[in-house]
Amino acid sequence: MHLQHIIQQMAFFAAVIVCLHACSKAKDYNEPISGDKTKPGVVTNIRVANFNGGSYITYDLPKSGNVLYVKAEYVINGQTGKKRQTKSSYYSDSITVEGFAEKKEYEVKLTTVTRSNVESDAVTVKVFPDTPVYRLVAKTIRIQPDFGGLNVQTTNVNKKPVGAIVLYKPEGADKYAIYEQRFSDFESMGFSTRGFDTLPKQFAVYITDQWGNNSDTVYQTIRPLFEKELDKSKFFGNELPSDGKIGFGWSLSNLWNGNTGGTGWHTVQQNVPLPIVCTFGLGVSAKLSRFVLFGRSGYEYAHGNPKVFSIWGSDNPAPADAVLPVFAEEGTVLGDWVNMGNYQWPGPPSGAPPTAPTATDRAFFNKGMEFNVPFTAPRTRFIRLAVSESWSGATFAHAMEITFYGNTN
């Protein structure tokens, strides 16, 4: 036991020495390693490859042994004079410069910097970036009336981060102000801005990027479409053979009884294939705009509350059953049914894990979650709510209330 104790002590002190050595190395890394104040040579053999909004610059490093990095300094916007600086370590033979506002020639100054923070003479390189992504996306802006507002669509084939900024000028106002902002790197970005009556409104949209470049603004007068809440007294259950079996004395009609507490729709807790589905009629043919879904309180981000789900619709007066897939693209037609939208309930807004939501997260959850129905979705008389994944991953589902909005004219 004595020998084992000695061995344990030796191992402990060895670990301490290694730690101190590592800490010393980490500290030294942030301090000048070299006292050599010699001015370094410049980069040579420079080659340029341009891309949308930027350029790759490749070079040969000087023979100096104490070069730490290469620095690029350049103006990205000639109108504003905005500058950027990019660095690349001595392990690399290239540097990327990006964020340029236009497709034109720009100058980039390259400087080598030593471990003693001594800079070389600057070498000027001319680059000619291709059309920036934000300008390409701006050419695809499509604005059209939507329920209670407008719908904006853009295409981003490069899948680079951009923002779509919606401006609104109220009647009698002197200028436009930002009303909504959406950011995405998806190939297609589409969203609706709502909250307006049906009188003509003045809107505008422009595209921005992460470097603060802004496109030309597209102006358009929009007459928002009429929207109202659908009358729930006309809803009725329309159970189909592939629907989930309801259990615990709950009822499908609880989904539209106006009560977000108490009991709702709840399927049996059995090992059954996904998705878990329920089917009901709206009592009218409607062009839907959006819906609000309420989960089960007390089980926020847990149990059988829907996490990933889809809405299927049919305008057939008596739609036949169809076994729905776990996932299908929007617009997919399956028998009498069409996929009208795929959805995911967002996680706790605080960033906390779903298993430990904060009180604020729970309150946010229990307000219900609003989801937009794609503007391209057809009219429908019947709805199928298909839950592909619950927050617990179980093969049952529950929800308390669903409210639809749209136009029945």
Side-chain angles (χ1 to χ4, degrees):
M1 291 296 293
H2 180 67
L3 178 60
Q4 183 179 3
H5 180 67
I6 293 175
I7 292 173
Q8 289 175 341
Q9 283 189 321
M10 292 176 63
F12 171 77
F13 286 117
V16 171
I17 292 171
V18 169
C19 178
L20 290 173
H21 180 69
C23 293
S24 175
K25 287 290 186 182
K27 181 181 178 182
D28 290 346
Y29 182 78
N30 293 321
E31 298 175 353
I33 299 175
S34 172
D36 185 359
K37 298 296 183 179
T38 304
K39 188 175 185 178
V42 298
V43 293
T44 55
N45 191 24
I46 297 171
R47 291 89 69 196
V48 175
N50 300 302
F51 59 89
N52 295 105
S55 303
Y56 300 114
I57 303 175
T58 307
Y59 46 76
D60 291 344
L61 289 166
K63 299 299 182 182
S64 308
N66 65 340
V67 171
L68 183 60
Y69 63 87
V70 174
K71 176 176 66 176
E73 295 179 303
Y74 47 102
V75 173
I76 62 172
N77 190 315
Q79 292 183 335
T80 64
K82 186 174 182 179
K83 299 179 180 179
R84 288 203 72 219
Q85 183 183 99
T86 309
K87 296 179 181 179
S88 180
S89 81
Y90 69 96
Y91 292 111
S92 175
D93 64 352
S94 65
I95 195 167
T96 301
V97 292
E98 56 186 336
F100 295 104
E102 301 179 63
K103 179 182 179 180
K104 71 172 191 177
E105 186 176 83
Y106 292 86
E107 289 188 350
V108 177
K109 292 185 177 181
L110 297 178
T111 308
T112 58
V113 183
T114 69
R115 298 174 185 274
S116 299
N117 205 31
V118 178
E119 297 188 2
S120 72
D121 293 331
V123 176
T124 300
V125 183
K126 292 184 177 181
V127 299
F128 202 113
D130 292 335
T131 304
V133 170
Y134 79 98
R135 288 181 176 267
L136 296 176
V137 175
K139 294 178 181 179
T140 72
I141 293 174
R142 302 179 300 283
I143 308 173
Q144 59 187 339
D146 202 346
F147 294 98
L150 75 160
N151 180 265
V152 179
Q153 300 283 333
T154 64
T155 301
N156 181 2
V157 295
N158 298 85
K159 299 181 181 179
K160 298 296 183 181
V162 296
I165 313 300
V166 177
L167 307 175
Y168 169 58
K169 187 170 78 168
E171 185 177 358
D174 295 330
K175 58 183 180 180
Y176 288 81
I178 293 177
Y179 189 82
E180 186 166 359
Q181 305 177 72
R182 295 291 184 96
F183 297 88
S184 171
D185 57 2
F186 293 161
E187 183 171 356
S188 296
M189 176 166 57
F191 62 93
S192 296
T193 295
R194 296 195 171 98
F196 300 92
D197 59 34
T198 58
L199 296 176
K201 301 289 185 295
Q202 291 181 288
F203 294 103
V205 177
Y206 68 86
I207 304 299
T208 188
D209 67 12
Q210 65 201 85
W211 298 282
N213 297 311
N214 298 328
S215 73
D216 291 337
T217 304
V218 177
Y219 296 88
Q220 194 163 326
T221 299
I222 294 290
R223 184 185 290 270
L225 303 178
F226 175 72
E227 176 195 61
K228 69 175 182 179
E229 179 181 334
L230 270 61
D231 185 355
K232 294 182 183 180
S233 69
K234 297 180 180 180
F235 292 11
F236 60 93
N238 191 69
E239 185 177 357
L240 296 176
S242 63
D243 282 4
K245 183 179 178 182
I246 297 174
F248 308 101
W250 291 34
S251 171
L252 178 59
S253 62
N254 291 340
L255 264 181
W256 53 86
N257 66 0
N259 183 7
T260 60
T263 60
W265 165 69
H266 195 316
T267 63
V268 295
Q269 294 181 346
Q270 296 178 355
N271 187 18
V272 295
L274 296 172
I276 308 300
V277 182
C278 66
T279 308
F280 55 95
L282 300 175
V284 292
S285 176
K287 171 73 173 171
L288 301 179
S289 57
R290 57 192 171 101
F291 63 94
V292 178
L293 183 64
F294 288 85
R296 187 180 178 189
S297 178
Y299 295 91
E300 297 87 352
Y301 309 102
H303 212 49
N305 278 315
K307 179 181 180 182
V308 180
F309 62 97
S310 58
I311 294 291
W312 293 71
S314 177
D315 208 32
N316 189 311
D321 187 28
V323 177
L324 301 182
V326 172
F327 175 81
E329 296 289 346
E330 290 177 5
T332 297
V333 176
L334 192 61
D336 293 331
W337 300 92
V338 59
N339 182 308
M340 299 183 66
N342 297 313
Y343 305 94
Q344 180 163 341
W345 192 294
S350 72
T355 53
T358 66
T360 301
D361 293 333
R362 294 181 185 277
F364 179 78
F365 181 98
N366 290 321
K367 288 181 179 179
M369 190 61 59
E370 182 176 282
F371 301 93
N372 288 334
V373 175
F375 191 73
T376 53
R379 296 179 70 92
T380 187
R381 297 172 185 268
F382 290 86
I383 292 292
R384 302 193 84 182
L385 170 63
V387 180
S388 299
E389 181 184 350
S390 66
W391 279 98
S392 68
T395 57
F396 66 92
H398 49 62
M400 304 307 294
E401 186 80 10
I402 192 165
T403 303
F404 283 97
Y405 297 83
N407 192 341
T408 59
N409 296 333

